[in-house]
Amino acid sequence: MSNKKAWANAIAQPATEFPLTPLSVIYGKIPAGLRGSLYRNSPGRLERGGIKVGHWFDGDGAILAVNFTDDGATGVYRYVQTAGYQAETAKGKLIYGNYGMTARGAFWNRWLKPVKNAANTSVLALPDKLLALWEGGKPHALDLQTLSTWGLDDLEGLSKGQAYSAHPKIDEQTGDIFNFGISIGKNPQVNIYRSDATGKIVQTGAFPLTNVPLIHDFVLAGQYLVFFIPPVELNILPVILGFSCYCDSLKWKPQLGTQIVVIDRETLSVVSRSQAEPWFQWHFANGYVDEGGTLVVDMARYEDLQTNQFLKEVPTGVTHTPAKSNLSRVQLNPQTGRFMGIETILDRNCDFPSVPPQNVGQNSRHTYLSISRPGTDISQEILNAIACFDHENGTLMETDLGENLYPSEPIYVRDAHNHQQGWILTVVYDGNTHCSQVWVFDSQGLDQEPICKLTLPEVIPHSFHGTWKAA
Ligand SMILES: [Fe+2]
């Protein structure tokens, strides 16, 4: 089609796995203090048997690992061997329903059919295993080195049917890992989990929901966990009956406003509940409590749910729905729930905001994020730059990679020798040469040439989330 953009070529074909392979440095030098592994997860396969999936979120998860060692870098790329992936591989066709598609076949075959756990959203690196995360179900455990799939993992605490979302929050000071999962059904609720540093769930909590909303991420802010429930309501019955998928059963209901639930991180019980104006967010950058006791939360904010339509269009290779976001800041009193307002702090289309891992839950001077280059038609292009926002002086430092280059979500890595030094890792799809590379930037030099570029043996599809595990 005439308006097909270069990004579409990275996902036009199912991604090709590769075994552990030495990676060539094609530019610069790997920093001596960069030792460990980058892991990234993405939908690697968006069609089977000539049929496209219904939404970007439906693709089968595939994991990229890039290892930085004293002897150079290596990479490996493997699909997560979920039960659904194996069954569909054996049949050579799509079988299951998912977020954006119903199960295949006549409608009486779709009733009460389980959806496929796509294991495609993010990764959590634990001391002895890697988890591939998907918010509708349990995580899959994988071998940290080979990426071979061991199977579903309950973290010694997830009961039958309990989900573990794709956005755990790690407190580096205590080793605590917080996460949540939504239980749908007659009495929908948000389950909250605290794990120790091994991933083992050691404490649980819950709060009830009045409907089934769309909660993708949450916030760790000082002594609180904070949930922002957007005014989205799932009409559950057609989904259970197999007539409709989740995506098509979500209704934008701005009259509900945004519900805010503040949880005490020690007791996992509700501190306050309140309501604010309607907006939508997939992702939070961070949260903290300032000296005056005010809870501050930054996020990539959308006006409504149109972003979901844009993401639904991605697997077709051509998008046309604009869904502008910006970086916004919310302030509220965590004890009373009094909402003190939301303001735009950076009016640029953006998502995947984050802070250096050591700053999670605390005030962070810098927020890293993916953005659109100036002049980009956001109805037709996916995010095509990465940037660093400096909260102290309000400035933005951004990459300029040129036309048809698409960097993934920026991952901050603290240098092993100099903790004041950070590196930003991103996997870049070069649409001009149809190849993928790993680029390393100085965390304070995103507007300069990267420190190092490594070539990957195969094209890596655009990915959602990743993590770093220090050696
Ligand atoms: Fe996400």
Side-chain angles (χ1 to χ4, degrees):
M1 286 180 74
S2 58
N3 65 345
K4 195 165 183 177
K5 300 294 183 185
W7 59 261
N9 293 325
I11 55 170
Q13 301 295 326
T16 305
E17 295 178 301
F18 54 87
L20 195 66
T21 307
L23 304 182
S24 315
V25 176
I26 52 171
Y27 177 88
K29 193 165 172 272
I30 298 172
L34 184 66
R35 294 290 182 268
S37 298
L38 168 73
Y39 295 98
R40 291 200 62 79
N41 195 347
S42 65
R45 170 181 272 278
L46 294 166
E47 68 89 18
R48 203 181 273 279
I51 307 290
K52 295 268 189 205
V53 297
H55 194 289
W56 197 1
F57 296 171
D58 297 338
D60 294 298
I63 313 288
L64 171 70
V66 178
N67 312 301
F68 296 88
T69 73
D70 290 341
D71 301 323
T74 56
V76 52
Y77 185 65
R78 300 284 303 273
Y79 282 94
V80 185
Q81 294 289 320
T82 67
Y85 178 85
Q86 291 180 332
E88 290 183 342
T89 301
K91 293 267 187 194
K93 62 180 184 181
L94 296 170
I95 303 169
Y96 298 95
N98 213 295
Y99 176 77
M101 56 198 287
T102 55
R104 312 301 290 183
F107 76 87
W108 56 84
N109 283 329
R110 299 186 224 146
W111 287 4
L112 307 174
K113 268 264 175 75
V115 298
K116 178 172 66 181
N117 182 329
N120 65 3
T121 314
S122 190
V123 277
L124 175 60
L126 296 169
D128 61 354
K129 59 190 168 189
L130 183 74
L131 299 181
L133 305 174
W134 179 71
E135 73 187 35
K138 290 185 173 61
H140 282 78
L142 283 74
D143 185 286
L144 283 161
Q145 274 79 44
T146 65
L147 301 185
S148 62
T149 303
W150 295 343
L152 289 168
D153 197 311
D154 63 9
L155 301 173
E156 302 179 50
L158 295 173
S159 55
K160 194 170 181 294
Q162 279 190 328
Y164 192 78
S165 96
H167 284 284
K169 299 286 177 279
I170 302 170
D171 183 330
E172 278 208 348
Q173 277 70 43
T174 63
D176 286 328
I177 304 170
F178 295 97
N179 202 1
F180 73 98
I182 297 179
S183 289
I184 58 176
K186 220 168 122 191
N187 299 304
Q189 65 178 23
V190 174
N191 302 304
I192 306 169
Y193 315 111
R194 182 172 69 86
S195 292
D196 63 20
T198 70
K200 181 186 173 183
I201 293 174
V202 293
Q203 188 182 3
T204 61
F207 66 87
L209 293 164
T210 50
N211 58 36
V212 180
L214 184 58
I215 307 176
H216 180 70
D217 191 7
F218 76 118
V219 187
L220 169 62
Q223 67 268 42
Y224 303 109
L225 309 177
V226 194
F227 291 83
F228 291 82
I229 305 169
V232 176
E233 196 170 270
L234 178 71
N235 186 8
I236 188 83
L237 195 61
V239 177
I240 291 173
L241 294 178
F243 292 129
S244 178
C245 61
Y246 283 76
C247 175
D248 294 343
S249 304
L250 294 169
K251 290 268 177 306
W252 177 248
K253 291 193 163 178
Q255 67 275 17
L256 297 177
T258 301
Q259 306 294 317
I260 306 171
V261 182
V262 179
I263 304 288
D264 182 304
R265 68 174 267 177
E266 294 298 325
T267 63
L268 303 187
S269 57
V270 175
V271 176
S272 65
R273 292 190 80 134
S274 52
Q275 185 175 328
E277 64 203 71
W279 72 78
F280 183 78
Q281 80 284 317
W282 298 108
H283 299 119
F284 300 96
N286 191 33
Y288 66 96
V289 178
D290 72 13
E291 313 79 51
T294 297
L295 197 148
V296 181
V297 174
D298 295 343
M299 71 189 78
R301 172 174 58 142
Y302 298 83
E303 268 181 28
D304 54 32
L305 195 56
Q306 282 291 86
T307 169
N308 190 48
Q309 176 61 30
F310 177 87
L311 299 173
K312 182 180 176 177
E313 292 161 3
V314 166
T316 70
V318 178
T319 58
H320 50 81
T321 300
K324 166 96 170 53
S325 61
N326 63 53
L327 187 65
S328 285
R329 170 162 289 189
V330 160
Q331 297 189 65
L332 71 140
N333 180 320
Q335 288 297 320
T336 65
R338 188 173 71 87
F339 178 70
M340 296 154 69
I342 181 165
E343 57 168 344
T344 299
I345 51 177
L346 174 69
D347 193 11
R348 288 284 297 272
N349 190 52
C350 63
D351 213 316
F352 304 117
S354 65
V355 298
Q358 64 270 25
N359 296 347
V360 170
Q362 304 167 33
N363 193 355
S364 177
R365 176 173 173 178
H366 299 112
T367 294
Y368 293 88
L369 65 175
S370 295
I371 61 167
S372 297
R373 296 172 71 212
T376 297
D377 178 349
I378 64 161
S379 66
Q380 296 187 19
E381 285 280 9
I382 62 170
L383 297 168
N384 53 7
I386 55 175
C388 174
F389 183 70
D390 185 332
H391 293 270
E392 223 164 272
N393 56 28
T395 56
L396 186 75
M397 182 182 288
E398 58 192 295
T399 57
D400 184 6
L401 309 187
E403 290 285 325
N404 304 327
L405 273 80
Y406 300 91
S408 70
E409 163 205 59
I411 297 286
Y412 182 97
V413 178
R414 189 164 43 179
D415 187 274
H417 308 311
N418 174 8
H419 283 189
Q420 304 310 310
Q421 171 72 56
W423 309 105
I424 295 295
L425 303 188
T426 181
V427 176
V428 176
Y429 171 66
D430 181 342
N432 298 317
T433 57
H434 189 55
C435 68
S436 291
Q437 298 168 355
V438 181
W439 290 22
V440 182
F441 285 93
D442 185 317
S443 66
Q444 285 310 304
L446 289 180
D447 57 348
Q448 295 157 32
E449 285 294 308
I451 300 297
C452 176
K453 293 183 189 175
L454 304 152
T455 189
L456 290 163
E458 299 285 346
V459 166
I460 305 298
H462 310 293
S463 50
F464 294 141
H465 299 293
T467 195
W468 171 257
K469 187 174 192 298

